[in-house]
Amino acid sequence: MADSRSPAGAEIEIIDRRSGDSPVLAPSAVRINGVEIPIPADATIKIHDISADELVTVTLTLFARRVTIAAEDDV
């Protein structure tokens, strides 16, 4: 059964939980659609250049619980 909803972008929250007055943010947590996702301590988070005619893209390294690669009808 196909999902009739249109694909939507993910809500990405990059959070700095440190306390202090440093003007530099150091990400310590990431949430995708409200769910906190574990990230490696040395992970690089890249927010790609944003322009008026392009969508925002983010590259994350994260720990996956499960990865499934299949035809949509097989999932």
Side-chain angles (χ1 to χ4, degrees):
M1 176 187 266
D3 188 345
S4 62
R5 294 176 292 173
S6 297
E11 180 179 320
I12 307 291
E13 300 171 79
I14 302 168
I15 302 158
D16 180 355
R17 289 195 172 129
R18 299 173 305 141
S19 58
D21 296 327
S22 175
V24 177
L25 294 177
S28 55
V30 171
R31 290 188 200 121
I32 300 176
N33 294 337
V35 177
E36 190 161 328
I37 306 297
I39 58 173
D42 61 347
T44 299
I45 299 172
K46 180 169 173 74
I47 300 170
H48 299 272
D49 294 338
I50 303 169
S51 68
D53 60 341
E54 294 180 0
L55 300 174
V56 176
T57 58
V58 178
T59 301
L60 298 168
T61 300
L62 51 90
F63 293 113
R65 182 181 71 171
R66 183 171 111 186
V67 176
T68 301
I69 302 170
E72 187 170 11
D73 294 338
D74 293 343
V75 179

